[in-house]
Each structure stands twice: as structure tokens, then as C-alpha cells.
Amino acid sequence: MGPDAHPGHEPAVSDLLRPRIGTWVWSPWYAKVWWLCIALYWGGRAISLYNEGLDSFYTSTIAAYLNLAFMPMTPFLILGIGFAWSWMDHHGLEFGPPDRDYVPPKRSVGGWLDPMSDPLDPRSPKYWHRFDDF
């Protein structure tokens, strides 16, 4: 039972304005057409197991490219770009070059960001064992 099911509970304004993935991946007409084409393509692929005419198409080079275009993860990646921009804008995040004053942290000897967890860095007491006793 979600928080919206309780009587008298009003959602916050920021929750109403929060971007939702469904409005980007499913709501636009071009997204619906794309999902319909995906269903038709893979339905035809299933039928091609029993039909030699369709099988010759689905083993062609064009079908290999269509395989990429109609892979179910492809619309999430392409249509999700708009959602990512909207989500970043909602949370006040920016996508761009860092400030000139920003200095990235120095990497450790092994290339890790945290020298305390790098087994190659002498600053790591957990992994680096000095044999001064010998």
C-alpha cells in the first residue's frame, strides 16, 4: 500500500513535478511507434523459425542492423537521454566542464582514487607491509 493510498495524504509539489521515466520512454508518439516496431520485428523473428521466406530475411545483413535498432534496450538508452537531462535539471545538476578552480584528487601509485585501499601504495597500512624488522 503506497503513500498515495492513505486518505488525506497530499503529495508534495516537488513529487508532482519530478520527472518520470514513463513520460519519456512511452508517452511520445515516436516512442510508441518504436515499441510497436520492436514487437512486430521480434514477432516476425519468431515466425521466421517456421517460414523459410522470412528466415532468409532475418539472416540477412539488413536484419543484423535492425537487430540493433530493435533490441529492447536501445529505446531505453536513446529515449532515456531526455529523461536524464530532465532529472539532472530537477535536481539542480549540471553537465559540463569542471570549474577552473577544481583540482582532482591525486591518484595513488596503482592508479586508484583512494591510496588507503591501494595495495601498491605505501600509504596504505592495511595492504602495505614493511619488513623493517629483518
Side-chain angles (χ1 to χ4, degrees), residues 108-112 115 117-124 127-128:
S108 64
V109 175
W112 297 21
S117 62
D118 186 2
L120 299 176
D121 199 320
R123 294 176 285 178
S124 173
Y127 296 110
W128 189 264

mmCIF file of all heavy atoms in Angstrom, residues 108-112 115 117-124 127-128:
data_model
loop_
_atom_site.group_PDB
_atom_site.id
_atom_site.type_symbol
_atom_site.label_atom_id
_atom_site.label_comp_id
_atom_site.label_asym_id
_atom_site.label_seq_id
_atom_site.Cartn_x
_atom_site.Cartn_y
_atom_site.Cartn_z
ATOM 1 N N SER A 108 46.669 7.281 -6.490
ATOM 2 C CA SER A 108 47.686 6.537 -5.766
ATOM 3 C C SER A 108 48.663 5.899 -6.754
ATOM 4 O O SER A 108 48.549 6.060 -7.964
ATOM 5 C CB SER A 108 47.021 5.462 -4.910
ATOM 6 O OG SER A 108 46.373 4.538 -5.745
ATOM 7 N N VAL A 109 49.588 5.140 -6.245
ATOM 8 C CA VAL A 109 50.622 4.517 -7.065
ATOM 9 C C VAL A 109 50.006 3.561 -8.082
ATOM 10 O O VAL A 109 50.404 3.517 -9.243
ATOM 11 C CB VAL A 109 51.646 3.779 -6.163
ATOM 12 C CG1 VAL A 109 52.659 3.029 -7.000
ATOM 13 C CG2 VAL A 109 52.330 4.764 -5.256
ATOM 14 N N GLY A 110 49.004 2.799 -7.668
ATOM 15 C CA GLY A 110 48.368 1.831 -8.557
ATOM 16 C C GLY A 110 47.308 2.439 -9.449
ATOM 17 O O GLY A 110 46.678 1.741 -10.230
ATOM 18 N N GLY A 111 47.048 3.763 -9.344
ATOM 19 C CA GLY A 111 46.049 4.416 -10.167
ATOM 20 C C GLY A 111 44.687 4.511 -9.509
ATOM 21 O O GLY A 111 43.727 4.955 -10.126
ATOM 22 N N TRP A 112 44.565 4.115 -8.275
ATOM 23 C CA TRP A 112 43.290 4.166 -7.572
ATOM 24 C C TRP A 112 43.067 5.563 -7.025
ATOM 25 O O TRP A 112 44.004 6.316 -6.768
ATOM 26 C CB TRP A 112 43.262 3.165 -6.440
ATOM 27 C CG TRP A 112 43.374 1.736 -6.852
ATOM 28 C CD1 TRP A 112 43.881 1.253 -8.022
ATOM 29 C CD2 TRP A 112 42.986 0.612 -6.096
ATOM 30 N NE1 TRP A 112 43.831 -0.107 -8.047
ATOM 31 C CE2 TRP A 112 43.286 -0.541 -6.853
ATOM 32 C CE3 TRP A 112 42.435 0.438 -4.861
ATOM 33 C CZ2 TRP A 112 43.041 -1.813 -6.416
ATOM 34 C CZ3 TRP A 112 42.180 -0.844 -4.419
ATOM 35 C CH2 TRP A 112 42.472 -1.952 -5.202
ATOM 36 N N PRO A 115 44.248 6.154 -1.925
ATOM 37 C CA PRO A 115 45.533 5.495 -1.675
ATOM 38 C C PRO A 115 45.500 4.563 -0.476
ATOM 39 O O PRO A 115 46.335 3.670 -0.364
ATOM 40 C CB PRO A 115 46.497 6.656 -1.455
ATOM 41 C CG PRO A 115 45.648 7.792 -1.064
ATOM 42 C CD PRO A 115 44.327 7.592 -1.728
ATOM 43 N N SER A 117 43.390 2.269 0.096
ATOM 44 C CA SER A 117 42.922 0.939 -0.296
ATOM 45 C C SER A 117 43.722 0.358 -1.452
ATOM 46 O O SER A 117 43.329 -0.661 -2.012
ATOM 47 C CB SER A 117 41.443 1.000 -0.669
ATOM 48 O OG SER A 117 41.268 1.853 -1.772
ATOM 49 N N ASP A 118 44.812 0.994 -1.804
ATOM 50 C CA ASP A 118 45.633 0.527 -2.910
ATOM 51 C C ASP A 118 46.750 -0.357 -2.379
ATOM 52 O O ASP A 118 47.574 0.086 -1.588
ATOM 53 C CB ASP A 118 46.224 1.722 -3.651
ATOM 54 C CG ASP A 118 46.966 1.315 -4.902
ATOM 55 O OD1 ASP A 118 46.993 0.115 -5.221
ATOM 56 O OD2 ASP A 118 47.518 2.201 -5.563
ATOM 57 N N PRO A 119 46.818 -1.624 -2.784
ATOM 58 C CA PRO A 119 47.861 -2.497 -2.263
ATOM 59 C C PRO A 119 49.255 -2.124 -2.763
ATOM 60 O O PRO A 119 50.249 -2.557 -2.191
ATOM 61 C CB PRO A 119 47.469 -3.886 -2.748
ATOM 62 C CG PRO A 119 46.492 -3.681 -3.827
ATOM 63 C CD PRO A 119 45.885 -2.342 -3.627
ATOM 64 N N LEU A 120 49.355 -1.284 -3.790
ATOM 65 C CA LEU A 120 50.665 -0.891 -4.304
ATOM 66 C C LEU A 120 51.187 0.404 -3.684
ATOM 67 O O LEU A 120 52.331 0.771 -3.919
ATOM 68 C CB LEU A 120 50.592 -0.726 -5.823
ATOM 69 C CG LEU A 120 50.197 -1.971 -6.601
ATOM 70 C CD1 LEU A 120 50.062 -1.646 -8.080
ATOM 71 C CD2 LEU A 120 51.216 -3.068 -6.393
ATOM 72 N N ASP A 121 50.348 1.086 -2.933
ATOM 73 C CA ASP A 121 50.734 2.384 -2.376
ATOM 74 C C ASP A 121 51.258 2.213 -0.946
ATOM 75 O O ASP A 121 50.598 1.599 -0.119
ATOM 76 C CB ASP A 121 49.529 3.317 -2.378
ATOM 77 C CG ASP A 121 49.926 4.765 -2.266
ATOM 78 O OD1 ASP A 121 50.860 5.067 -1.498
ATOM 79 O OD2 ASP A 121 49.322 5.592 -2.955
ATOM 80 N N PRO A 122 52.431 2.783 -0.639
ATOM 81 C CA PRO A 122 52.967 2.658 0.720
ATOM 82 C C PRO A 122 52.152 3.406 1.761
ATOM 83 O O PRO A 122 52.321 3.182 2.957
ATOM 84 C CB PRO A 122 54.373 3.236 0.624
ATOM 85 C CG PRO A 122 54.566 3.696 -0.743
ATOM 86 C CD PRO A 122 53.361 3.385 -1.546
ATOM 87 N N ARG A 123 51.250 4.290 1.352
ATOM 88 C CA ARG A 123 50.391 4.994 2.314
ATOM 89 C C ARG A 123 49.254 4.113 2.818
ATOM 90 O O ARG A 123 48.504 4.513 3.687
ATOM 91 C CB ARG A 123 49.819 6.249 1.671
ATOM 92 C CG ARG A 123 50.875 7.287 1.361
ATOM 93 C CD ARG A 123 50.274 8.449 0.642
ATOM 94 N NE ARG A 123 50.016 8.065 -0.745
ATOM 95 C CZ ARG A 123 49.456 8.855 -1.647
ATOM 96 N NH1 ARG A 123 49.072 10.059 -1.315
ATOM 97 N NH2 ARG A 123 49.274 8.437 -2.889
ATOM 98 N N SER A 124 49.112 2.915 2.279
ATOM 99 C CA SER A 124 48.043 2.014 2.669
ATOM 100 C C SER A 124 48.540 1.084 3.774
ATOM 101 O O SER A 124 49.247 0.117 3.506
ATOM 102 C CB SER A 124 47.589 1.200 1.459
ATOM 103 O OG SER A 124 46.679 0.216 1.842
ATOM 104 N N TYR A 127 47.362 -2.892 3.441
ATOM 105 C CA TYR A 127 47.933 -3.787 2.439
ATOM 106 C C TYR A 127 49.456 -3.724 2.361
ATOM 107 O O TYR A 127 50.091 -4.650 1.926
ATOM 108 C CB TYR A 127 47.361 -3.454 1.055
ATOM 109 C CG TYR A 127 45.881 -3.686 0.964
ATOM 110 C CD1 TYR A 127 45.011 -2.624 0.855
ATOM 111 C CD2 TYR A 127 45.362 -4.965 0.984
ATOM 112 C CE1 TYR A 127 43.651 -2.828 0.769
ATOM 113 C CE2 TYR A 127 44.014 -5.177 0.893
ATOM 114 C CZ TYR A 127 43.143 -4.111 0.794
ATOM 115 O OH TYR A 127 41.805 -4.316 0.703
ATOM 116 N N TRP A 128 50.029 -2.590 2.727
ATOM 117 C CA TRP A 128 51.465 -2.406 2.571
ATOM 118 C C TRP A 128 52.166 -2.847 3.842
ATOM 119 O O TRP A 128 51.960 -2.298 4.905
ATOM 120 C CB TRP A 128 51.778 -0.933 2.279
ATOM 121 C CG TRP A 128 53.197 -0.712 1.897
ATOM 122 C CD1 TRP A 128 54.188 -0.338 2.738
ATOM 123 C CD2 TRP A 128 53.761 -0.854 0.619
ATOM 124 N NE1 TRP A 128 55.363 -0.222 2.059
ATOM 125 C CE2 TRP A 128 55.125 -0.528 0.742
ATOM 126 C CE3 TRP A 128 53.291 -1.203 -0.630
ATOM 127 C CZ2 TRP A 128 55.998 -0.558 -0.321
ATOM 128 C CZ3 TRP A 128 54.150 -1.213 -1.681
ATOM 129 C CH2 TRP A 128 55.492 -0.898 -1.519
#
